[in-house]
Amino acid sequence: MNALPMLPFADPGAGYRALKEEIDAALLRAAGSGWYILGEEGAAFEREFAQWLGEGQHAVGCANGTDALMLILRGMGIGEGSTVVTVSHTAVATVAAIEMAGATPLLLDIDPDTYGMDPDELRAVLEDPPPGLPPIRAVIPVHIYGQPVDLMPIKAACDAAGVALIEDCAQAHGARLEGRAVGTIGDAAAFSLYPTKNLGALGDGGVLSTADEALARRIGAIRQYGWVQRYVSDLVGVNSRLDEVQAAVLRVKLGHLDAQNARRRAIAAAYDAALAGSGLAPPVRRPGAEHVFHLYVLRHPERDALMARLKAQGIGTGIHYPVPVHRQPAYAGRVALGPAACAETAKAAGEVFSLPMYPELSEEQVARVCLALRGL
Ligand SMILES: *Cc1c(COP(=O)(O)O)cnc(C)c1O
């Protein structure tokens, strides 16, 4: 019998408990303010998040990460009659956002080592778009698992083709590429603030960023009925706001994010060391890319057996993602694929699995995972 309790794959409650005093004070402050939507907390969070990202950035809070992507597309005027290129190896949210904006998704394959968009395939579809699709207007690469995608060739291809580059940073708050924060390299970036993300609210939340102040202002209007002034809808809008209570909590958590990302990297290094001599290779790091380990992902053809062995030792695992978007019932046979037909994506979906990874893991818990890994 295993006497130890199951170590969960994710534990958002631990994220709250670790900062309980500060978060409780923020919750009470927001509750007591008497102003709950688009007030001082939200404005301060947007300012602080933009500053944390880098000079010249503007941030707009919204209801969730999916809406952040949708709002960027709408703000850029990309909708019906446009194709938006992304990957199939992502949260369904990325593709859902494209269709919410009214645009047509085109899904590309991934690099099998780092799971990000393949820049060569992107170049191919930009030069020779698949027939029957509306013109390509934007590309959304995903910094999947917390590692920056191979963004520089992707940016060069977008610039050459005159299409917008939107970074999906939902898993990569604080990741850096050649010293620059992800989310500051493309034309705009979307961040999810879902509770398990590297920066997570106590509920739903999202934020987007851009260096284009006019775009930020337009999106700020679109997120609230298209209002530029109260009760005057100059634009066709939606309702997608970040509330004051979440913003107050997020301000606290933002102050700890860099340290928490460093802790994630330290846990990753411990897992790497434990895997030495096992049949499993640690996650591949791209040169010049600073990974923030939203997820620590391994791959093996016998994934299910390995996950069962870890479970028998009280270690929870996850799969991100078991079914690629193009094979989901709502998308299969309907969504357009690039020339590689997402072959590597389908293969990865059958082999990847994720270990427990959150900054609140104790040394003892990390040691438990490492012990189990050594025995694999
Ligand atoms: C979580 C996530 C989203 C969506 O964020 P929500 O806040 O859940 O709407 C989008 N893209 C990726 C890659 C994600 O991981």
Side-chain angles (χ1 to χ4, degrees):
M1 273 303 290
N2 197 329
L4 287 169
M6 190 76 184
L7 177 58
F9 159 73
D11 189 359
Y16 166 63
R17 288 188 299 276
L19 303 172
K20 183 175 177 344
E21 269 183 41
E22 268 186 273
I23 291 175
D24 286 354
L27 288 169
L28 288 173
R29 186 178 72 232
S33 74
W35 190 285
Y36 303 114
I37 298 282
L38 298 188
E40 283 174 20
E41 298 287 348
F45 171 69
E46 289 172 348
R47 218 164 37 236
E48 289 158 11
F49 187 81
Q51 247 162 34
W52 171 83
L53 263 181
E55 213 177 317
Q57 292 295 311
H58 306 276
V60 182
C62 61
N64 55 65
T66 312
D67 279 5
L69 286 166
M70 176 273 288
L71 286 166
I72 292 168
L73 290 168
R74 288 184 69 134
M76 290 176 165
I78 296 172
E80 220 176 303
S82 304
T83 292
V84 177
V85 181
T86 188
V87 284
S88 183
H89 188 74
T90 182
V92 169
T94 313
V95 183
I98 294 169
E99 293 199 328
M100 282 164 69
T104 302
L106 168 60
L107 306 186
L108 302 188
D109 208 1
I110 52 167
D111 161 44
D113 293 328
T114 53
Y115 310 104
M117 180 182 281
D118 175 2
D120 292 330
E121 190 183 14
L122 175 64
R123 252 190 311 267
V125 298
L126 288 174
E127 278 164 20
D128 184 16
L133 292 177
I136 295 171
R137 301 276 313 282
V139 177
I140 309 181
V142 180
H143 300 299
I144 192 93
Y145 306 149
Q147 172 150 250
V149 72
D150 195 5
L151 198 60
M152 294 319 175
I154 290 173
K155 182 171 163 49
C158 288
D159 289 347
V163 307
L165 173 59
I166 301 165
E167 298 176 66
D168 183 337
C169 297
Q171 304 190 359
H173 322 61
R176 290 184 168 268
L177 184 60
E178 280 147 33
R180 288 174 70 181
V182 302
T184 66
I185 301 165
D187 298 298
F191 297 80
S192 168
L193 306 170
Y194 182 80
T196 59
K197 301 291 164 92
N198 289 41
L199 178 61
L202 301 183
D204 271 315
V207 63
L208 58 95
S209 68
T210 177
D212 180 343
E213 195 177 357
L215 176 63
R217 211 166 314 121
R218 203 152 56 240
I219 293 170
I222 292 170
R223 76 169 161 185
Q224 177 166 243
Y225 325 125
W227 285 355
V228 176
Q229 294 167 60
R230 203 169 180 77
Y231 305 124
V232 183
S233 293
D234 285 313
L235 301 166
V236 175
V238 299
N239 176 4
S240 180
R241 299 174 297 215
L242 180 68
D243 69 68
E244 290 287 283
V245 173
Q246 296 303 341
V249 171
L250 288 160
R251 292 179 69 194
V252 171
K253 293 190 126 191
L254 181 62
H256 297 272
L257 179 53
D258 291 335
Q260 291 184 339
N261 281 341
R263 172 72 184 146
R264 287 175 184 267
R265 277 196 289 277
I267 295 167
Y271 290 172
D272 288 351
L275 287 169
S278 80
L280 284 158
V284 174
R285 270 69 145 191
R286 294 189 40 253
E290 193 172 297
H291 201 317
V292 289
F293 289 97
H294 171 59
L295 295 168
Y296 186 96
V297 175
L298 299 171
R299 86 181 277 177
H300 196 278
E302 309 284 307
R303 166 187 68 197
D304 294 349
L306 293 174
M307 288 172 70
R309 277 160 67 186
L310 287 168
K311 187 176 177 193
Q313 293 172 79
I315 312 292
T317 53
I319 300 177
H320 304 86
Y321 294 90
V323 180
V325 178
H326 73 283
R327 292 197 168 170
Q328 298 281 346
Y331 298 90
R334 178 174 77 77
V335 75
L337 304 184
C342 292
E344 290 295 348
T345 297
K347 195 157 166 244
E351 297 185 354
V352 292
F353 65 107
S354 316
L355 299 181
M357 173 55 80
Y358 35 98
E360 298 78 21
L361 281 172
S362 68
E363 287 304 320
E364 182 268 328
Q365 288 173 320
V366 172
R368 261 181 74 195
V369 178
C370 289
L371 187 66
L373 291 177
R374 283 190 201 98
L376 281 182

